[in-house]
Amino acid sequence: MAGIMVSASTGVMNSLLGKLATLMGEEFAKLKNLRKEVKHISDELSSMKDALERLADVDELDIQTARWRDAVREMSYDIEDIIDDFMCKIGEKKKKSGFVHDTIQRLRTSRARHQIAGQIEDIKKIVRETSERRERYKVDVPTSCNVAVDQRVVALYEDAAKLVGMDGPTNEVVSWLKDEEKQLKVVLIVGFGGLGKTTLAKEVYHKLKGEFHCGAFVPVSQKPNIPKLLHSLSTQLGCQQSFHDCELNVLLDQVRENLKNKRYLVIIDDLWDVSAWRIIKCALPPENNLGSRLIVTTRIRIVAEACCFGHHEHILEMKPLSGEDSRKLFFDRIFFSEEACPVQLRHVSVDILKKCGGLPLAIISISSLLASGSSNQKERWEHVQNSLGSVLGTNLTLEAIRQILNLSYKNLPHHLKTCFLYLGMFPEDSEILKYELVRLWISEGFVSKAHGQSLEQTAISYFNELINRSLIQPVEIKTDGTVLTCKVHDMLLDLILYKSAEENFITVVDNPDSVARQLQKPRRMLFSLDGATLPGVVNMSEVRSFANYRGSMHIPSLAEFKYLRVFITDFTSFSADDNRKIDLTRLCELYQLRHIRIRGCGKCQLPTQIRGLQKLVTFDIDGSCIPTDIFHLPHLLFLNAPNVERLPEGIGKMTSLQQLHNFHTLCASLDSVKGLGELTNLSILCLGTGFSEDVVIDALNSSLGKLCNLEWLHIFTPSVSFIPETVTLSSPPPNLVTLYVFRCFRVPIWIKELHNLRSLDLTVRTLDKDGVGILAELPSLIDVELKFSRALEETIAIYGTAFPILKRFDISGGIMPQLIFQAGAMPKLQRLDLSWMKDESATPTGIEHLLALERIGVRFRSSTESEKRSAESAIRSAISMHPNHAHITIDV
């Protein structure tokens, strides 16, 4: 967790220790006894931090240890608040000579010395009391040696006749394994815990094991005992020797020797990491060419890919049960058929099944619970329904579900646990924008730089790892596999909120009375009240993050949020006739703010000056103006103000900026256009431009050429005109991978220099074969969306070497030219989307040459039914020649 300032496991210990180190620095050494006192505090807190990190790896804590852990974590927040408050006060009257110099001058006064001495003494007292509590109650840090009962064992004994939804996956895996291939074949079964991977693997194993000389089914724990695992493997495979107390290499050699001349079937169930696999695979000789087979189940995609001996095509991704199979499994276990379900229980059963999300394990557990009592008691069903939607369910069967979901959580590294729990800050069933989530993680201090990457790159790697572990579900995915939005499964959200309640990490405020009973010191708050206010007993000064997605106008006064880091609110749901205004002008006083995101700015009053927010990282609003002093914020990384036409002067000072939405050259001064080139850390830029004086265009081109770290560029014109052809990227950023260009005359010739471009969305007035030819030669292009007003030729040929790795091609326009796909063109194309013409005369030809094509989408814009029928017939005729019979979707 090095470098990470905030963690669910250790609170703000790392951040706090960093601030104490500042107080021990040379500039503060002149203050008598300060360094000595702070050093003592720092040493004690370092020991406590180490203890917290060890406790985070322990499955079960006794109640005294758990309470001490919670107290230490809360203490870290309280001490940091004291230090922050003190540093703010001594910096309020800082002089132009500099903050540190001014601080020392003020500390030399007797009043200031007395003040800091008192606060250091307060901190010492808090630390001393916490340390003494550990000694008094004999709190110790246990080792993680207890192994909880693995609920997956139940799946091994499930009656195969009762399995639902397994026929398709079972037959698919069996068909992969039963062929004439003599080399070792590996089949990977990947999916989130509870989807039935173990059940599927066990069913396949029992179907096929009689066709092999020997077989073994080996479960793998999160932290496997490799020698014990190999002993189990060798015993099941019929090895006669005793392997106990052997060296690891001896065990491996003996298993390999035993399998050298045998056709074997081995199941490695629930593999968690690549390091364990690297050892296990050494026991399985791949070269005996006897048709041996290996099945590996895992929750983690990257682990699955590491297990392939070059056979990536044999990865089966488990899916949740369909609605029909979910109902069958649910009702059969309670009533033996869906028809036997009483009418009064049908509505509540729909909601219960929705929350189970197609997870067989969840459905089996819930249906078993309901079947264990009187099955027609509506109140009992509603109780289970409500328990599934809250963190208060305590039934053992519900707890069993949580334990199984908890396996994936426990296996996460500490930094990913924190990021995962933070998903509880978003409303249930909401789609979460990846970049919004990434920015929040950075602002909260959850991310540290790694391996030369920027904070944003590191945060995106965290996001991708949670996707790979199936802990968040991708919703919108680009052709190149990039996930743009995600959701959290209901069952996982329950786990997140349950864990957050344990850790006092996130508090969901949807009932003022219940919140008042739960805690008085919430740290992060998802505010879901509407038309009500919090009771006064809740201490809002402890809140560090506040999210008001429902747009309540009864949010607490900003004066109460003394140490707020994150502020999110959305007022867009309010009617335009509602003339109320929310006063947010005091945001400028919250000196710890890192993140501001406001939607519906028309319903609120914002501060005109925010220069005091020196730690601000993200400023994201939809208002029409921004504070004039925003360029004096040294740590600002993300500036999103899409409705602001003219930015204040001084943009060149914002050298830390990584994302800028929007910059309009038509409203900017020449100095601002030149200043854009100083933002060399920009990775994302949304740029509005149009016809301007030559000196402005020249300055713009020069500035764009300096943005060496740019990865995503959107160029548009805010008017009905076109982007001047004189706007060029003569020196294209080497890392540019995504480009949006709206309203060009033709395909810009400078695009041919973008050798790393992967995604292109281009709107042009005219399209010709030369323009298509420019795009066809881009070596890295995967996704193209091309829109045009008119084509200059009636036919456009896509040559044999064109678009070598393109996967999606979406083309639409006025009258579509006839596209001719020659043999060898677009060899990787999987998706083709066409906006259809007025008649069938321009039906594309050569579709049969697109060998990788899977789907074709056609949009008709003809005016008469006969034209539509004629065009649909023509396209179906052309597609019928495709060897793979690509799926066609027609939108008339």
Side-chain angles (χ1 to χ4, degrees), residues 10 14 117 135 138 152 157 175 216 230 377 471 504 562 578 611 661 663 703 730 768 772 806 808 836 870:
T10 62
N14 280 338
E135 295 295 327
K138 308 298 183 185
R152 293 178 294 116
Y157 300 94
S175 69
L230 291 176
Q377 290 182 354
L471 289 173
N504 190 20
K562 190 173 183 180
D578 192 331
R611 191 171 189 164
H661 309 258
F663 183 86
S703 291
S730 55
D768 57 22
V772 174
L806 193 70
R808 185 179 80 99
W836 206 238
S870 178

Side-chain angles (χ1 to χ4, degrees), residues 767-873:
L767 182 68
D768 57 22
K769 60 182 180 181
D770 291 336
V772 174
I774 290 173
L775 305 182
E777 295 178 2
L778 293 175
S780 303
L781 203 57
I782 292 177
D783 187 284
V784 169
E785 189 163 337
L786 181 60
K787 297 176 282 290
F788 62 93
S789 298
R790 63 187 182 93
L792 298 183
E793 289 102 358
E794 293 183 357
T795 62
I796 294 180
I798 311 295
Y799 295 103
T801 59
F803 299 99
I805 66 170
L806 193 70
K807 292 184 178 180
R808 185 179 80 99
F809 186 49
D810 185 328
I811 182 169
S812 61
I815 298 178
M816 182 72 68
Q818 184 180 40
L819 299 178
I820 303 173
F821 299 99
Q822 297 187 352
M826 299 184 175
K828 305 290 185 180
L829 193 71
Q830 298 173 357
R831 174 82 193 217
L832 175 64
D833 290 292
L834 306 168
S835 181
W836 206 238
M837 56 289 168
K838 291 184 179 179
D839 55 47
E840 73 275 16
S841 62
T843 302
T845 61
I847 288 181
E848 66 273 14
H849 295 143
L850 304 177
L851 301 181
L853 194 63
E854 298 175 357
R855 302 183 69 86
I856 300 175
V858 181
R859 301 182 295 273
F860 288 120
R861 294 186 294 141
S862 302
S863 57
T864 67
E865 288 299 321
S866 61
E867 287 177 341
K868 292 177 183 178
R869 287 194 299 270
S870 178
E872 182 176 349
S873 175

Side-chain angles (χ1 to χ4, degrees), residues 740-759:
Y740 294 80
V741 182
F742 180 70
R743 293 183 67 84
C744 282
F745 281 106
R746 58 182 62 86
V747 176
I749 193 170
W750 51 263
I751 285 183
K752 67 181 181 181
E753 304 297 333
L754 304 179
H755 302 300
N756 293 317
L757 194 68
R758 295 168 60 87
S759 180

